[in-house]
Amino acid sequence: MVLNIKGRLTEFARPAVMGIVNVTPDSFYEGSRTGVGQVTDRVARMLDEGADIIDIGGYSTRPGAAEVSAADELGRLLPAVDEIRRRFPDIPLSVDTYRAAVAAECLAHGADIVNDIGGGDLDTEMFETVAEARAPYILMHMRGTPATMQTMTDYEDVAADVLRDLAFKTDRLHQLGVCDVIIDPGFGFAKTTDQNYRLLGALGALRELGCPLLAGISCKTMIWKELGITPDESLNGTTALNMIALMNGADILRVHDVKECAETVRLYEAYRRNLPGETHVISVSTPPPTPAS
């Protein structure tokens, strides 16, 4: 995977780990909630643990989350972006927002990538904004809004429908001049638990779009609901599903727990490194019986 970040080609020799930093008081995963004063310490720890990209958000999109104005979102994000960029000038920094104006301001303050859960639907100016900025763009699939998405899970074929929608939007982005489009199928967004697992199994089909593929599974409902646990108890399940995502072609894993994810990537790479170049058949024969004396 190679991304053009502000005119600098950044190559990722292995699947990348994207660490989540939420400057929100109400993210669904309590461990990711970080005040502005704690941001740089959290980022430093993530980088030490193996993060390749930092993704910062100022607006919780969990069902039932409080509405946040654009001004409040910027009030949370800009001080954090400024501090991260001051202390860590070279780390690729993604901003998680569906608002074009918020994205533009954060890019002007040093963010590199726009991560849009709305896939351009929640703000019709988003595609033109990232095209003008020549910024890499994470295109996620969702239906409706965070408040209505769980009522919009009627698919004919969830994998085919998601692929069709993302293919149409990817083509439009390319026509606008957005060269670096990253695909996110949107696990948990307008999908039931069963649909999430079907989509995970069909993840490789999204590679037909010719774009890097992001999987954001960390601590989501598809894990803790299936296991009958809480989001804070979902690390083991997250690790298991992240390995499945890697096996099915994911290029980026977006996670709350960086250390464990980086270890998962290292084990996946060890597995890939030692795959045989061709099929070997191992024959085990039974030794002939010992002649009777």
Side-chain angles (χ1 to χ4, degrees):
M1 179 176 66
V2 179
L3 298 178
N4 186 336
I5 298 177
K6 294 185 170 71
R8 183 181 75 249
L9 293 181
T10 302
E11 182 176 3
F12 299 85
R14 55 169 175 75
V17 177
M18 173 183 276
I20 301 169
V21 178
N22 288 318
V23 281
T24 61
D26 57 349
S27 171
F28 80 94
Y29 180 62
E30 186 174 354
S32 71
R33 303 172 192 168
T34 307
V36 172
Q38 304 166 304
V39 164
T40 53
D41 289 342
R42 181 171 176 82
V43 170
R45 184 169 67 253
M46 286 184 164
L47 296 180
D48 286 343
E49 292 175 344
D52 302 291
I53 305 169
I54 297 298
D55 185 53
I56 187 164
Y59 189 146
S60 174
T61 53
R62 66 174 177 81
E67 177 71 19
V68 177
S69 69
D72 286 343
E73 187 181 7
L74 278 171
R76 295 172 179 179
L77 285 173
L78 291 184
V81 169
D82 288 341
E83 278 301 297
I84 293 170
R85 192 43 77 220
R86 180 185 64 80
R87 186 168 170 187
F88 310 103
D90 297 324
I91 185 68
L93 179 59
S94 167
V95 60
D96 181 0
T97 184
Y98 63 81
R99 291 176 168 132
V102 172
E105 280 292 316
C106 289
L107 290 170
H109 279 248
D112 302 303
I113 303 167
V114 176
N115 181 11
D116 177 14
I117 65 159
D121 290 337
L122 298 180
D123 189 331
T124 57
E125 296 182 8
M126 181 62 87
F127 285 7
E128 286 77 9
T129 297
V130 293
E132 183 177 348
R134 299 183 179 274
Y137 176 68
I138 300 173
L139 170 67
M140 197 191 84
H141 177 272
M142 183 177 72
R143 288 176 168 179
T145 68
T148 64
M149 62 185 178
Q150 292 313 124
T151 66
M152 306 181 72
T153 59
D154 185 19
Y155 296 90
E156 188 171 319
D157 179 314
V158 65
D161 291 354
V162 168
L163 176 59
R164 187 180 304 110
D165 181 72
L166 292 175
F168 174 79
K169 291 180 178 179
T170 299
D171 181 65
R172 183 177 165 214
L173 284 161
H174 285 161
Q175 289 186 36
L176 288 170
V178 182
C179 298
D180 292 303
V181 180
I182 299 164
I183 297 298
D184 179 352
F187 292 106
F189 288 81
K191 287 101 179 167
T192 66
T193 296
D194 286 347
Q195 288 168 347
N196 284 321
Y197 280 100
R198 287 198 288 274
L199 194 54
L200 179 61
L203 202 58
L206 297 180
R207 298 198 68 84
E208 294 182 15
L209 299 176
C211 300
L213 187 58
L214 182 149
I217 300 171
S218 183
C219 302
K220 287 193 173 176
T221 306
M222 63 186 291
I223 299 169
W224 56 263
K225 184 177 180 180
E226 186 71 21
L227 296 177
I229 57 177
T230 67
D232 289 344
E233 298 171 313
S234 299
L235 176 56
N236 189 55
T238 296
T239 300
L241 296 191
N242 275 337
M243 181 60 83
I244 294 174
L246 290 172
M247 300 286 285
N248 286 340
D251 298 291
I252 304 172
L253 298 176
R254 182 178 180 272
V255 297
H256 301 92
D257 299 286
V258 167
K259 177 178 180 291
E260 292 79 3
C261 183
E263 290 175 350
T264 302
V265 170
R266 286 180 63 186
L267 293 176
Y268 170 74
E269 287 293 287
Y271 160 76
R272 292 281 301 170
R273 207 167 49 238
N274 289 284
L275 282 177
E278 57 186 73
T279 302
H280 295 278
V281 177
I282 302 174
S283 177
V284 178
S285 58
T286 303
T290 304
S293 57

